Amino acid sequence: MAATFAWDRDHGTQTGSPTRGTTTSAGVTNVNWKNSDTEATAYSAAPITAGNNSYDNWMFGHFSGTYNSILNGLFAHTATAFGTGLTLVGTPACTGDGDRLLYTTPSATANANLTTDMTSAVSIGSGVAVFFSGTGPYATGKASSTTDNPAYTNYLTTQLQTDVSAAPGDTATVTLTLQYDEN
Amino acid sequence: MMHTKQAFCSICQAVTEHSAALDKNNEIALTCKTCSHLFGKHPLTDDPAELQRWIDAHQSNAGQVTVETAAAAQAVHDERFKKLMGIA
C-alpha cells in the first residue's frame, strides 16, 4: 500500500485563524498562472498583460491512502526555462512551524512574502524545505515529518511576475516538483 | 526615476547592481544590470527597512544548483567512469 497524493488549491477571501481560503479545489493538475483566482476560468480568458503579475496561486500537497509517515519534503521548479521578462517567485523554505506562509486573499499585487526566486530550473535538492501536518496547509503543528492521515504540506504558493519585455502568448510549460519520502 | 540597489541575483549567483524603478502599477521592480533578470516586485512602501528585508530574504537562493549545472557535473563524472572502465 502507498500514500495517495493530490495537489489541491485554495481560493477566495482569506478566512479563519490561521487564515485559509474560502474554497478549496481538490485534485488540480496544473498551475496556469493567470489574471484570476477563479479555478474555472481558463488561463487564456484571463491573460497576464506584460508588466503585470499573476494572481498568487495557493497550491499545496494532500496525502491520503495508506502510509506510516510522510517526510523530507522539497519543492522546486525542476524543468524548462522561462522566457525573458518572466520571474517566478515562490514560498520561502519552511523549516519551522512559524515559517509556514499564512494565506492571504489572492490578488495581482506583488506578494512580497514570496521570497524564493524560482525562475531557474534547479535540481530538486536545491528546492525549498516543505513541512507537513494534519488538518490543512494552514494548520499549526507543521513539522518535517508527520504520521497524520490525511496530511498536508504548508502552502506552496507561487506568483508569476512579468516586466514589459515578456513575450505575448503562452509561457513555456515548466515543471514544479514536490519531492517527499513515505514509509 | 531610476535608482540602483545591491541585491542577490539568483541567475548570476552573486550580489549585483540592480536597477530599481516604479512600474505602471506603482510596484518597485528590481532588475539585474548584469543579466537583465527581473529580481521581483515589491509593493511601494515608505519603510526602507521593509524593502531591505525583502532584498535580504532573496539570499536564500545562494548556492542553488541549476539543472544545467547538475547535468554538466554528471557528464564529468560519467566521462571519468567511462575512462576508468576503458570505454572512452
Side-chain angles (χ1 to χ4, degrees):
Chain A
M1 298 301 286
T4 300
F5 177 80
W7 287 106
D8 295 354
R9 177 160 41 228
D10 268 11
H11 297 280
T13 306
Q14 68 185 54
T15 184
S17 178
T19 54
R20 59 182 184 272
T22 308
T23 58
T24 299
S25 299
V28 298
T29 54
N30 50 43
V31 180
N32 282 342
W33 296 281
K34 58 192 177 185
N35 187 30
S36 170
D37 176 46
T38 304
E39 185 69 33
T41 300
Y43 72 89
S44 54
I48 306 158
T49 306
N52 291 350
N53 312 314
S54 75
Y55 275 59
D56 31 7
N57 193 295
W58 292 81
M59 287 179 76
F60 54 94
H62 173 187
F63 304 88
S64 58
T66 304
Y67 58 84
N68 293 317
S69 63
I70 302 290
L71 65 163
N72 298 336
L74 290 171
F75 177 60
H77 165 198
T78 54
T80 314
F82 277 108
T84 302
L86 302 177
T87 291
L88 183 67
V89 295
T91 182
C94 187
T95 55
D97 187 39
D99 293 342
R100 72 193 197 288
L101 275 182
L102 297 179
Y103 183 90
T104 52
T105 305
S107 78
T109 300
N111 186 333
N113 293 321
L114 304 178
T115 52
T116 301
D117 189 336
M118 297 177 67
T119 309
S120 292
V122 299
S123 58
I124 189 63
S126 290
V128 295
V130 175
F131 269 20
F132 310 94
S133 77
T135 309
Y138 52 87
T140 58
K142 289 284 180 295
S144 58
S145 67
T146 185
T147 55
D148 288 336
N149 190 344
Y152 304 86
T153 66
N154 51 284
Y155 282 116
L156 304 176
T157 314
T158 54
Q159 181 180 47
L160 190 63
Q161 301 184 346
T162 77
D163 66 23
V164 291
S165 68
D170 290 1
T171 69
T173 300
V174 306
T175 303
L176 303 185
T177 299
L178 170 65
Q179 175 180 282
Y180 59 89
D181 291 336
E182 66 173 274
N183 61 33
Chain B
M1 222 183 313
M2 189 69 75
H3 295 281
T4 60
K5 274 276 187 190
Q6 294 292 313
F8 183 82
C9 174
S10 68
I11 306 299
C12 298
Q13 284 288 293
V15 174
T16 61
E17 190 170 60
H18 285 64
S19 64
L22 268 188
D23 71 4
K24 62 181 181 178
N25 298 316
N26 285 320
E27 292 180 339
I28 304 160
L30 299 188
T31 305
C32 176
K33 293 179 79 168
T34 302
C35 71
S36 300
H37 173 60
L38 174 65
F39 174 94
K41 298 182 184 181
H42 192 290
L44 185 58
T45 175
D46 295 319
D47 182 3
E50 181 187 338
L51 184 65
Q52 193 58 49
R53 278 195 301 274
W54 175 67
I55 290 171
D56 291 346
H58 277 247
Q59 288 280 0
S60 63
N61 288 285
Q64 72 179 17
V65 179
T66 63
V67 290
E68 292 87 355
T69 309
Q74 189 58 53
V76 171
H77 293 315
D78 289 347
E79 194 57 36
R80 287 177 61 200
F81 180 67
K82 282 200 290 189
K83 206 171 271 182
L84 177 71
M85 302 306 285
I87 300 169

